[in-house]
Amino acid sequence: MRLPPLNAIRAFEVASRHLSFKKAAEELFVTPAAISYQIKLLEEHLGMTLFERHNRQVVLTKEARQALPLLSLGFEQIEKGIGLLEQVSSPNFVVSTGPAFAIKWLAPRLHEFSALYPDVNASILASLHITNFRVEPVDAAVRFGRFDDTHLFAEKLVDEFVVPLCHPGWLAAQGSLRQPADIFNHPLIHDDSIFFDPSAPSWESYAQQQGITGVDTHSGVRFNQADHALQAAMDGAGIVLSRSLLAEPDVRAGRLVKLFPETAMDTGMARYYACPREKADRRENQVFLAWLKSLLVGV
């Protein structure tokens, strides 16, 4: 039997799952026109129509609906097979994460993981880029945000909160701060790294939560990297509203101190461990995830 081109079958499978050429194009990193072209090729090869095309909607034909589960299963098995080949051919276990989490959490601890599992060659890829597991040589990712990708295996590691922080020596030089409103009498440091989410806490929302009015919540220096904002606070530049998880190593070492920890704000986001579903049962993923969870217990 002469099979249709694999790209055409893949375009059909993805478009069928989404019932949208646009969403299929986004998943496969091509244009909607390319999806439409591949599906047309498949329809011509088969000599039949697969989609009923309406104004702003596509609907699968009866025959296409019957074939879709088998095709989806086929691609799932192909991905598993490729995963097994990659497991044999790749000597490294690559984990992608944000630069701040890498430098504050993973890099200082990675030697501990290597001591526990010397046969797993863990490699950290620090990047703000969201991993596309289908095309990038990455095995897993540790990410911060709101996880909504149902095509991946994901497990929440810890909820994220923000809290005011400063250098203890700087605080001693200023005199004690008696209430949260006193914060706004001092230089503010803004961590803009989580403003990809419009609902992320800021100095403005912190003041609102505390019922503080008549203060300037926008003045001060700004950073688009969380570790840069934390470093500015450690250098005595003022008070930063930052994620307590990222600041924990510096708080533990005495380089930062929490101000009014009872006023910590929930970001509404969390840190997740994610990987392709077909790789979730690999030993490397299982031991790395378990190790991360052991570090974050009680944090």
Side-chain angles (χ1 to χ4, degrees), residues 160-215:
E160 290 268 20
F161 294 80
V162 294
V163 65
L165 299 135
C166 68
H167 187 272
W170 179 89
L171 179 62
Q174 307 304 314
S176 62
L177 281 70
R178 297 180 180 178
Q179 56 185 351
D182 294 339
I183 289 174
F184 298 93
N185 296 325
H186 299 279
L188 302 178
I189 300 171
H190 301 264
D191 174 7
D192 292 343
S193 66
I194 62 175
F195 283 176
F196 59 84
D197 189 314
S199 65
S202 63
W203 279 123
E204 183 178 12
S205 57
Y206 179 85
Q208 291 173 352
Q209 176 180 278
Q210 297 303 311
I212 302 168
T213 58
V215 296

Side-chain angles (χ1 to χ4, degrees), residues 107-272:
R109 294 172 166 84
L110 196 59
H111 70 281
E112 299 173 6
F113 176 81
S114 296
L116 289 170
Y117 304 100
D119 61 314
V120 180
N121 297 319
S123 176
I124 303 303
L125 176 63
S127 172
L128 292 175
H129 167 71
I130 301 301
T131 302
N132 179 357
F133 289 105
R134 293 187 183 278
V135 298
E136 296 178 50
V138 174
D139 299 289
V142 181
R143 287 297 176 188
F144 166 69
R146 305 176 193 274
F147 189 86
D148 58 1
D149 191 335
T150 57
H151 298 104
L152 297 176
F153 165 85
E155 184 162 335
K156 183 168 75 172
L157 298 172
V158 63
D159 291 312
E160 290 268 20
F161 294 80
V162 294
V163 65
L165 299 135
C166 68
H167 187 272
W170 179 89
L171 179 62
Q174 307 304 314
S176 62
L177 281 70
R178 297 180 180 178
Q179 56 185 351
D182 294 339
I183 289 174
F184 298 93
N185 296 325
H186 299 279
L188 302 178
I189 300 171
H190 301 264
D191 174 7
D192 292 343
S193 66
I194 62 175
F195 283 176
F196 59 84
D197 189 314
S199 65
S202 63
W203 279 123
E204 183 178 12
S205 57
Y206 179 85
Q208 291 173 352
Q209 176 180 278
Q210 297 303 311
I212 302 168
T213 58
V215 296
D216 184 358
T217 60
H218 299 287
S219 65
V221 294
R222 314 189 77 95
F223 297 91
N224 70 340
Q225 297 283 349
D227 54 317
H228 296 176
L230 288 169
Q231 186 61 53
M234 286 186 278
D235 290 339
I239 304 171
V240 64
L241 185 67
S242 185
R243 281 168 274 170
S244 55
L245 176 63
L246 295 180
E248 189 272 338
D250 296 313
V251 171
R252 182 162 33 86
R255 294 184 290 265
L256 287 173
V257 62
K258 294 181 181 180
L259 297 174
F260 312 108
E262 70 279 2
T263 66
M265 297 178 66
D266 189 348
T267 65
M269 293 176 273
R271 195 160 294 276
Y272 291 87

